[in-house]
Amino acid sequence: GLITPSLEEMQYVAGEMQKDDYFRGRMMPLMIGGATTSRVHTAVKIAPHYDGPVVYVPDASRSVSVAQGLLSDQSAAYIAEVNADYARVRTQHANKKPVVLWPLEKARANKTPIDWTGYVPPKPKFTGKRLFKNFDLAELARFIDWGPFFQTWDLAGPYPAILQDEVVGEQARRVFADGQAMLQRLIEGRWLSASAVIGLYPANTVNDDDIELYTDETRSQVALTWHGLRQQTEKYEIDGVMRPSRCLSDFVAPKGVADDYVGVFAVTAGLGVEKKEQAFIDAHDDYSAIMLKSLADRLAEAFAECLHHRVRTDLWGYAPAESLSNEAMIAEQYTGIRPAPGYPACPDHSVKRGMFELLQCGDIGMGLTESLAMTPAASVSGFMLSHPKCTYFNVGRIGEDQ
């Protein structure tokens, strides 16, 4: 499971296996893995659909040990242990304290308190689209966040401290050296190319939760409506201050109050990856194939960081004096945010369709699958907001009224 829709598909497949005599009769094991999956989700949502062994695998590298457990002489004991664990997880999940949700109107009345009087939203140097094709990979390398790189190899710990870790330090240093070496070869050999498109548009909040992006400064024609989701879980006062029920629209000036702006971007560093990856696979060099994909992912994230820096200091220019180290940027110590569809502050992927149409992402070789995954895989897209009070948050559960 890589994105949310695939989780529902997993439940369907498990149910189909239960109906099939071949799978059910042989107690064919079903292993569950992927970025959006979890042990709890497997136990609560998938395992009940199938009588055979259903086992969550936290990382692809663990699939070997799981398969060994399922095929060994002690498989019955192994499966019984897994089933008992999942039964405990289901019991704990069923006994969780229910989440209290506010009515949507009450949540809207508790929006992020921002005083728009006297605040003048910064105006970009241009409005509309701008393309960046065949961007300098060496420039992007300066913005790489190496922390997630180690997670690809199931090595846990913050970078750079992980390189000196007593348990995984030796493996971390080895894979980091290999990654640095391949990155150099990748740049010099131009194994892949990176391109991006950014749009800066007049924008305003409407209907409390939605943000309209306009075609021009007349603000008469809507280019894209970004439907926001607002926190509805019950809020409490902390130190005499009520925690707000946030929505990203809170950070964009309401229509008729001030002329605000929103950025939209899409970047990819995966153009050409498939050809080089296939060459490694044909040479039976899976390690290099995985290394290449992990570096492409890091470069795509670095591209988003690099472009956001350029927007803040120049293209939009709302923080022209910014002087942050790469570590400070990774720690998000800059002004403004760049929320991406599918992440906690805007978990709805469907806005990608409008984003990709507005930016004409096909011009830089990017597209969407029917379930809204980006292609190439090493790609990032999202929005940019400039208000000094912008912050990330988790929407969490919402009510039927929203």
Side-chain angles (χ1 to χ4, degrees):
L2 298 178
I3 60 175
T4 306
S6 56
L7 295 179
E8 295 183 5
E9 188 69 13
M10 286 176 158
Q11 297 176 46
Y12 170 75
V13 170
E16 292 300 296
M17 289 175 66
Q18 178 67 14
K19 296 176 186 176
D20 195 297
D21 291 339
Y22 180 87
F23 291 105
R24 190 181 66 255
R26 289 167 174 75
M27 296 292 283
M28 186 70 70
L30 174 60
M31 292 193 284
I32 303 296
T36 59
T37 61
S38 69
R39 172 170 155 269
V40 174
H41 185 272
T42 301
V44 175
K45 295 291 189 179
I46 302 177
H49 291 279
Y50 180 53
D51 291 339
V54 180
V55 187
Y56 170 61
V57 186
D59 184 83
S61 64
R62 308 277 182 87
S63 58
V64 175
S65 59
V66 171
Q68 288 173 337
L70 291 167
L71 293 170
S72 73
D73 296 338
Q74 304 298 317
S75 60
Y78 176 79
I79 293 169
E81 182 180 346
V82 170
N83 289 341
D85 177 49
Y86 288 1
R88 285 193 298 271
V89 170
R90 285 191 289 271
T91 300
Q92 292 169 355
H93 187 268
N95 292 333
K96 283 175 62 177
K97 185 179 179 181
V99 176
V100 178
L101 299 180
W102 278 357
L104 180 56
E105 289 308 313
K106 184 175 181 179
R108 283 173 171 166
N110 188 46
K111 66 175 62 176
T112 310
I114 293 180
D115 182 6
W116 294 102
T117 60
Y119 175 77
V120 179
K123 185 176 181 178
K125 291 183 178 179
F126 74 94
T127 55
K129 288 191 313 171
R130 192 169 283 188
L131 268 64
F132 301 83
K133 289 197 171 183
N134 297 314
F135 203 88
D136 183 4
L137 298 178
E139 172 71 6
L140 296 185
R142 299 194 305 108
F143 289 85
I144 287 180
D145 175 8
W146 287 102
F149 170 79
F150 296 97
Q151 297 169 16
T152 302
W153 307 99
D154 203 23
L155 299 172
Y159 172 79
I162 191 173
L163 300 176
Q164 306 304 324
D165 187 88
E166 292 182 3
V167 178
V168 300
E170 182 179 349
Q171 295 96 321
R173 289 191 295 274
R174 184 166 63 246
V175 77
F176 185 54
D178 291 345
Q180 294 274 23
M182 179 176 283
L183 179 63
Q184 192 64 35
R185 290 161 54 206
L186 180 158
I187 294 171
E188 293 174 353
R190 297 186 179 182
W191 292 357
L192 54 80
S193 59
S195 293
V197 57
I198 182 173
L200 299 174
Y201 296 96
N204 283 113
T205 287
V206 296
N207 305 323
D208 289 304
D209 301 340
D210 302 332
I211 300 171
E212 289 183 344
L213 279 63
Y214 305 104
T215 55
D216 55 43
E217 288 288 6
T218 66
R219 298 173 188 257
S220 59
Q221 184 175 348
V222 177
L224 171 68
T225 300
W226 177 17
H227 298 285
L229 291 174
R230 183 173 297 281
Q231 294 175 322
Q232 280 188 262
T233 52
E234 187 177 24
K235 297 293 183 177
Y236 302 92
E237 284 190 6
I238 298 178
D239 296 329
V241 178
M242 175 62 76
R243 300 294 94 183
S245 303
R246 298 192 191 278
C247 178
L248 288 171
S249 60
D250 294 349
F251 307 119
V252 177
K255 192 169 186 178
V257 173
D259 290 343
D260 213 337
Y261 300 84
V262 165
V264 191
F265 73 94
V267 306
T268 182
L271 302 170
V273 165
E274 293 86 351
K275 182 178 180 180
K276 192 65 180 180
E277 179 192 358
Q278 190 60 51
F280 284 130
I281 292 173
D282 291 344
H284 307 291
D285 187 356
D286 290 349
Y287 176 71
S288 293
I290 296 172
M291 179 68 74
L292 176 65
K293 288 193 292 184
S294 67
L295 290 174
D297 289 341
R298 290 299 87 221
L299 285 168
E301 293 287 352
F303 204 169
E305 191 77 82
C306 174
L307 198 62
H308 195 196
H309 170 70
R310 186 171 292 190
V311 165
R312 295 191 304 270
T313 58
D314 180 27
L315 301 179
W316 196 338
Y318 63 82
E322 178 186 292
S323 180
L324 298 175
S325 65
N326 194 40
E327 290 73 23
M329 281 190 279
I330 291 169
E332 299 168 354
Q333 293 177 8
Y334 43 73
T335 301
I337 56 175
R338 60 168 194 274
Y343 281 76
C346 52
D348 181 14
H349 287 266
S350 63
V351 71
K352 287 180 185 172
R353 294 191 184 98
M355 290 169 58
F356 273 54
E357 183 178 346
L358 177 64
L359 296 176
Q360 296 179 297
C361 290
D363 292 345
I364 59 168
M366 287 181 66
L368 294 171
T369 68
E370 63 180 14
S371 54
L372 302 178
M374 290 177 288
T375 59
S379 300
V380 181
S381 63
F383 296 90
M384 295 179 183
L385 306 181
S386 67
H387 195 280
K389 284 193 175 182
C390 282
T391 186
Y392 295 105
F393 56 90
N394 182 14
V395 169
R397 285 186 56 187
I398 61 172
E400 290 293 335
D401 53 351
Q402 184 167 191

